[in-house]
Amino acid sequence: MTDLGARLSAIDEQIADAARLAGRDADEITRIVVTKFHPASLVRELHGLGVREVGENRQQELSAKSAELSELDDLRWHFIGQAQTNKASAIRRSAQVVHSIDRDRLADALHRAAEDDSVLDVLVQVNLTDDIGRGGVAPDAAAALAEHVMTLPSLRLRGVMAVAPLDEEPASAFARLRGVADGIRALDPSATWISAGMTGDFVEAVQAGATHLRIGSAITGPRPDRG
């Protein structure tokens, strides 16, 4: 087994263990491999190991890698970074899921970028900190943003996404996110996704009900020097 395969297997075992501890079925949890700064060749290797869900933080990387790997048409590309409205068309052309809807204008831009009758899966990003400069909408404004997304027919509201703050225990942060998720699910019962948990806190995220985990370097190895 390659080092990459060994790291992937180790993380999957840890996810399965976390699910068992939480009394959950690991099959209901989606592991997204974040390949930020890694070459498309690594994504191709991951695909050979069975990975189908891949995450990117930057539009330029998303566009370049998805184009280079266009023949791997069963890859599902997740855009998980902060998005500028002027990049909406490029993001929509390459991603099947956008995790970082944090304002009406971005939702509107992604909707306008629809080139056919396809529907884009999206999540409302929630800011769990007091820093308004961080990505995401305030928890008490998430429902209003979700309602706006629901008015846009080319977008399909899937749920919520968040990053745990550095100065708070992940368990308490993800419990707050779960509360926001429950409120949005009351608006749209099909919005069941909770995208939360990275390498250092995915166990707590699974405990709080996360359905999608975003895991990078624990699987991919250290990020290459950007030069």
Side-chain angles (χ1 to χ4, degrees):
M1 183 182 292
T2 64
D3 289 345
L4 181 63
R7 291 192 297 267
L8 182 66
S9 293
I11 287 294
D12 285 347
E13 289 177 9
Q14 292 174 51
I15 293 171
D17 289 343
R20 279 193 294 271
L21 286 172
R24 298 180 60 196
D25 183 348
D27 289 341
E28 68 186 28
I29 300 170
T30 299
R31 174 255 296 131
I32 302 165
V33 182
V34 180
T35 57
K36 182 179 180 181
F37 300 146
H38 287 279
S41 58
L42 182 130
V43 180
R44 190 181 299 279
E45 187 177 353
L46 286 164
H47 183 271
L49 294 168
V51 171
R52 297 295 182 267
E53 312 278 345
V54 179
E56 288 294 338
N57 292 72
R58 300 168 66 245
Q59 175 268 316
Q60 295 92 330
E61 279 194 84
L62 168 72
S63 297
K65 290 178 190 174
S66 63
E68 184 172 343
L69 301 171
S70 60
E71 80 281 5
L72 303 180
D73 56 8
D74 57 348
L75 273 177
R76 186 169 172 83
W77 293 92
H78 297 251
F79 184 76
I80 60 177
Q82 297 311 117
Q84 298 173 339
T85 54
N86 64 354
K87 301 291 180 66
S89 292
I91 291 170
R92 177 139 198 175
R93 282 193 296 270
S94 299
Q96 285 75 56
V97 188
V98 174
H99 289 234
S100 46
I101 301 294
D102 60 358
R103 58 199 186 280
D104 289 357
R105 287 184 62 242
L106 177 57
D108 292 341
L110 286 167
H111 172 60
R112 288 195 302 269
E115 296 177 348
D116 50 30
D117 58 358
S118 64
V119 176
L120 179 69
D121 288 336
V122 300
L123 296 96
V124 168
Q125 182 176 358
V126 180
N127 184 356
L128 297 176
T129 77
D130 294 325
D131 180 1
I132 59 174
R134 292 283 296 271
V137 66
D140 60 3
L145 177 54
E147 289 181 318
H148 182 73
V149 170
M150 291 166 61
T151 69
L152 304 173
S154 79
L155 305 184
R156 177 166 46 214
L157 179 65
R158 286 297 201 176
V160 298
M161 183 272 262
V163 177
L166 296 176
D167 58 354
E168 180 181 357
E169 287 296 321
S172 64
F174 292 145
R176 291 193 289 119
L177 179 64
R178 178 63 182 266
V180 176
D182 289 346
I184 288 178
R185 194 167 60 251
L187 298 172
D188 181 352
S190 68
T192 58
W193 294 9
I194 301 176
S195 171
M198 299 186 292
T199 297
D201 55 24
F202 70 80
V203 172
E204 292 88 345
V206 170
Q207 188 70 43
T211 61
H212 291 67
L213 310 176
R214 311 179 306 272
I215 301 179
S217 58
I219 294 171
T220 62
R223 290 172 179 162
D225 187 348
R226 296 174 64 186

